[in-house]
Amino acid sequence: MPWCVRKCPYCDFNSHQLKSARPDGTYIHALLRDFERELPRIGQRRIDSVFFGGGTPSLFTPEDFAHFLTSIRRRADLAEDAEITMEANPGTIERGAFAGYRQAGVNRVSLGAQTFNARLLERLGRIHSAEETERAVEELRSARIENFNLDLMYALPEQTLDEACSDVRAACALNPTHLSYYQLTLEAGTVFHSRPPPLPDEDTAWRMQNAGQLLLAQAGFEQYEVSAYARYGARCRHNLNYWSFGDYVGIGAGAHGKVSRSVAPDMTGGLQVLRTLKPKQPKEYQEHAARGAALAVGECNAVAARDLPFEFMLNALRLNEGFDQQLFEQRTGLPMSSVLPRLHEAQTRGLLEPRPGGWRPTELGRRFLNDLQAAFLA
Ligand SMILES: C[S@@+](CC[C@H](N)C(=O)[O-])C[C@H]1O[C@@H](n2cnc3c(N)ncnc32)[C@H](O)[C@@H]1O
Ligand code: SF4
């Protein structure tokens, strides 16, 4: 859902500044047409989770969500207990809105808090105050959506270690079930990239990460991925599927998808992994979706078998628990023996360690994750 009230200067997501108060609801029709073209790839599979991301999905009305979810329920097997998450910007939450989203089927919300510091919120070009984030959480509670995530960023322009710690404490005080703690990165094509603000040095950023990890652990949040922390039982099912190299369909402007299918067993081990990508520009996307029903929306490319180990590791090694041998073989169609020399080499470098049934990154491996992942490049 690729629109935002205003483009944040650090953001390289496919988000476009909205020119009216709300996006045009006809976008939902395009999403549904896109979904219909994906049905053959989904086949008989059950959908366990849905993630409305953006952009700012909370710019769409509860009625838009209800229409979309009711329609996909009619066309595909959406699990009764599916995790259905929407991202929301605290600056776009009207009183009572979450009750409507919940009614539509949303049962998990991810709120972009980013920081609770007024100076930094302004510096990040955010459209909301810390009070509005707190109010959005109250709204969540009154709508009985207890399962929610807060996005926080650290290593912000001229941020001090104390300020970063205060943010983590403020976030914990709101008692989310999940917290995402991202280091601000300067992404190509953003305003911050072309005019970089003064950022804390690497050592300070490292201290902020460690201090954040400690505070979160003390508050009962277990880190299970590079940036993801959860209370017991509240890991994000949808994201876990990405990180375990599972399949997903991507619906909407700029959406990525990954779907595997069985093929004749040859070099690929009987499995072919397809990557799909939808047109990024909303207008072009909507035009594609409106074309003849037989035409798939966007691009679809098969991943070469030699690239599968790297693609798998790129995701799985983000998880503190790493992966099971069985999962590797199931998701890539390749025998574990095909990567054993690389696993052993990474082990010798102290980046990876064996565990019962599989492998996981060591603390050093988590710290130098790029090096560890690169060890599996074709
Ligand atoms: C699509 S946005 C979330 C929802 C909503 N658009 C918002 O900003 O409130 C996903 C999250 O990615 C994080 N993010 C975006 N750009 C980032 C960057 N350059 N560095 C680190 N984190 C970033 C932010 O925490 C943001 O909330
Ligand atoms: S509101 Fe979220 S998606 Fe939109 S520009 Fe800001 S960070 Fe990016």
Side-chain angles (χ1 to χ4, degrees), residues 38-261:
E38 292 283 353
L39 284 173
R41 290 190 190 126
I42 298 172
Q44 298 305 309
R45 288 185 273 194
R46 171 165 290 180
I47 299 171
D48 291 315
S49 63
V50 182
F51 197 102
F52 293 96
T56 307
S58 50
L59 287 169
F60 284 85
T61 63
E63 291 72 31
D64 291 331
F65 279 75
H67 177 42
F68 180 78
L69 286 168
T70 317
S71 307
I72 68 163
R73 266 207 177 90
R74 239 182 265 134
R75 291 167 171 79
D77 183 8
L78 178 60
E80 273 296 311
D81 65 343
E83 177 191 86
I84 303 181
T85 306
M86 76 178 274
E87 284 185 333
N89 183 317
T92 63
I93 298 305
E94 285 162 18
R95 194 151 289 277
F98 281 130
Y101 293 124
R102 189 192 148 95
Q103 182 80 22
V106 171
N107 52 28
R108 186 175 181 275
V109 166
S110 176
L111 266 187
Q114 321 305 358
T115 168
F116 291 84
N117 178 302
R119 169 179 57 85
L120 291 173
L121 281 168
E122 162 117 39
R123 198 70 206 271
L124 293 177
R126 298 294 295 181
I127 57 164
H128 57 89
S129 62
E131 291 71 32
E132 277 170 300
T133 303
E134 286 156 11
R135 223 171 298 140
V137 170
E138 278 167 31
E139 287 289 323
L140 281 172
R141 294 215 191 286
S142 52
R144 288 178 295 109
I145 302 180
E146 303 288 341
N147 192 15
F148 70 93
N149 166 68
L150 293 179
D151 279 341
L152 268 192
M153 293 194 293
Y154 66 94
L156 304 177
E158 293 174 285
Q159 188 182 35
T160 64
L161 178 60
D162 270 357
E163 286 173 334
C165 291
S166 300
D167 274 347
V168 176
R169 286 194 200 93
C172 291
L174 294 175
N175 206 16
T177 52
H178 194 284
L179 215 137
S180 303
Y181 192 49
Y182 301 114
Q183 175 171 352
L184 176 71
T185 48
L186 300 184
E187 304 287 351
T190 62
V191 173
F192 273 9
H193 192 263
S194 47
R195 273 176 275 135
L199 296 182
D201 59 36
E202 272 186 29
D203 285 345
T204 311
W206 176 242
R207 267 185 234 116
M208 288 174 177
Q209 186 185 326
N210 283 330
Q213 271 169 346
L214 190 66
L215 287 168
L216 287 165
Q218 285 165 354
F221 291 93
E222 192 185 1
Q223 183 179 16
Y224 66 102
E225 187 264 351
V226 178
S227 313
Y229 299 75
R231 288 211 188 277
Y232 183 76
R235 294 180 179 192
C236 176
R237 266 149 63 182
H238 191 86
N239 287 345
L240 272 173
N241 180 54
Y242 294 142
W243 297 323
S244 55
F245 207 49
D247 283 357
Y248 49 93
V249 290
I251 307 291
H256 293 257
K258 176 218 164 222
V259 189
S260 44
R261 62 176 183 192

Side-chain angles (χ1 to χ4, degrees), residues 335-376:
M336 196 68 174
S337 54
S338 62
V339 284
L340 265 187
R342 288 162 189 242
L343 291 169
H344 286 143
E345 193 203 316
Q347 184 182 5
T348 310
R349 290 165 66 197
L351 300 171
L352 198 65
E353 63 190 9
R355 62 153 173 79
W359 293 80
R360 67 174 161 232
T362 59
E363 207 184 312
L364 189 71
R366 290 209 296 274
R367 191 166 168 189
F368 296 99
L369 186 59
N370 288 348
D371 292 344
L372 173 55
Q373 290 163 329
F376 296 91

Side-chain angles (χ1 to χ4, degrees), residues 243-297:
W243 297 323
S244 55
F245 207 49
D247 283 357
Y248 49 93
V249 290
I251 307 291
H256 293 257
K258 176 218 164 222
V259 189
S260 44
R261 62 176 183 192
S262 302
V263 289
D266 55 0
M267 297 279 286
T268 62
L271 191 81
Q272 187 181 48
V273 175
L274 302 172
R275 291 254 180 224
T276 62
L277 176 60
K278 306 292 156 74
K280 279 185 92 171
Q281 292 300 325
K283 189 163 171 281
E284 191 194 344
Y285 168 74
Q286 280 172 274
E287 283 164 8
H288 269 239
R291 291 183 316 179
L295 294 168
V297 182

